[in-house]
Amino acid sequence: MAGRLFYLLPLVLITLYLPASSLAQSVTASFQTNPVDEDRTTILICNVNNLGTNNVVIDRTIYSRTEQLVSGTQILPSVDDNFFLSINDNADGSKTYFMTIRGVYHITDPGTYTCRIESTGGAVITSQSAILSINYNPISSDPRCSIADSNTDLTRLPGDEVVLACTSEIGYPPVDIKWSYSGCNKDRYVPAPTVTSFGFYNSELKIALSDQDNGGMFTCTLSRPDGSYSKGCSVGPFVVLGGEVCNMESTAMTAPSPTYDGKMTTDGSPSPTDGIMATEGNDSWTHVANKLLCMLCILLCFVFYAV
């Protein structure tokens, strides 16, 4: 037994005094908050064991483009000023790198962040990556609605086919998108939108207008299931020649000759000329009022002469 201890003792001593640089290096990478809401702060945490004389490098890859952020103990001068680095020397000899990212932005900051240990010659010894995701809603100008035809006039004939478009950022997680119709055409069917996307929605809705769509509007709405976000844009109201006036509170009547110029204002509504909103019912009331006024004048004249 004593002989065995005699042979094992040198191995134990070699292990105890083995330089730290010759031990196995390791690194871990994670984010303090992930996903993080846009404009908030998150921290990339890299734990490094047995660094020795080697170097720590941190970089990120966004849309296949890799950018180096940290080399050694410094953030590179080319990096945005919303990045901050601090390093903690731990009691067990390991090091923790804290890279703070303030005011994260969904265009520039999401991607793959990699912490790695490199030799003095630049060879990668070991590495680990963490993916940063950012929660965000579409920009304030989205969604944007338009008529995707060569004819963008809101005044149409019955049977005209119109292609409506709705474009927007998708957001993260992706927002829901849908089309809806408001008007007097109770038979109007609005199908699920066709969507093509690569970070953006480009939704098209093809419809064939009928005479009952006069005054109707089509709305594209973005929303989240939890109700935290909802925003929309509209195209219309359409003027269908020969169609009926859409009046939910009275009996429908034949529309007057349309005088819309077909242009849309900044809020998506048409730009009507003077007098387009007048209806036959309003003219009737005016006519009655004028008759009563005339009768009152005649009565006053009669009383005056009688006296």
Side-chain angles (χ1 to χ4, degrees), residues 8-287:
L8 289 174
L9 183 61
L11 295 176
V12 173
L13 292 176
I14 291 174
T15 301
L16 289 175
Y17 289 98
L18 194 65
S21 59
S22 63
L23 298 176
Q25 288 88 9
S26 65
V27 60
T28 61
S30 62
F31 280 98
Q32 181 187 54
T33 305
N34 190 30
V36 60
D37 292 341
E38 190 166 53
D39 293 328
R40 298 298 180 87
T41 296
T42 190
I43 301 174
L44 175 66
I45 303 173
C46 298
N47 289 310
V48 180
N49 293 306
N50 305 316
L51 180 61
T53 59
N54 299 307
N55 192 35
V56 171
V57 174
I58 301 176
D59 59 31
R60 66 176 175 182
T61 301
I62 303 176
Y63 303 121
S64 302
R65 177 179 174 271
T66 300
E67 175 189 13
Q68 191 173 113
L69 305 174
V70 172
S71 180
T73 60
Q74 301 291 329
I75 290 183
L76 299 183
S78 60
V79 177
D80 295 338
D81 57 6
N82 61 322
F83 286 78
F84 301 88
L85 179 68
S86 62
I87 304 172
N88 186 50
D89 293 319
N90 303 317
D92 60 359
S94 64
K95 292 178 179 290
T96 303
Y97 287 66
F98 299 93
M99 188 179 71
T100 301
I101 312 174
R102 296 181 180 176
V104 295
Y105 181 45
H106 73 273
I107 298 293
T108 58
D109 295 322
T112 301
Y113 289 71
T114 302
C115 302
R116 65 178 185 270
I117 300 176
E118 290 185 354
S119 67
T120 53
V124 178
I125 298 174
T126 185
S127 66
Q128 190 175 74
S129 299
I131 297 176
L132 177 62
S133 299
I134 298 176
N135 296 328
Y136 71 97
N137 291 324
I139 60 176
S140 59
S141 60
D142 287 344
R144 289 157 287 168
C145 291
S146 63
I147 298 178
D149 298 336
S150 57
N151 178 12
T152 59
D153 200 332
L154 290 170
T155 301
R156 298 298 183 104
L157 294 171
D160 279 359
E161 186 176 83
V162 181
V163 180
L164 308 179
C166 178
T167 58
S168 170
E169 286 187 320
I170 291 179
Y172 184 85
V175 297
D176 296 331
I177 182 171
K178 71 174 183 179
W179 283 94
S180 59
Y181 167 81
S182 58
C184 290
N185 187 352
K186 297 181 180 180
D187 296 326
R188 165 55 61 197
Y189 169 68
V190 180
T194 57
V195 176
T196 58
S197 61
F198 181 75
F200 290 85
Y201 280 133
N202 183 17
S203 172
E204 289 191 349
L205 180 66
K206 295 182 179 180
I207 55 172
L209 294 171
S210 73
D211 55 359
Q212 297 182 42
D213 287 316
N214 188 50
M217 296 188 68
F218 295 84
T219 300
C220 174
T221 303
L222 307 177
S223 63
R224 294 197 180 279
D226 61 2
S228 62
Y229 174 82
S230 180
K231 195 174 181 183
C233 60
S234 299
V235 179
F238 281 92
V239 177
V240 181
L241 297 178
E244 297 179 338
V245 172
C246 183
N247 190 337
M248 302 295 288
E249 298 179 358
S250 62
T251 304
M253 61 190 72
T254 303
S257 299
T259 55
Y260 283 93
D261 58 12
K263 297 179 181 179
M264 285 188 289
T265 60
T266 54
D267 64 354
S269 60
S271 175
T273 57
D274 292 338
I276 185 64
M277 300 308 293
T279 63
E280 185 180 347
N282 291 336
D283 289 342
S284 299
W285 280 108
T286 302
H287 185 63

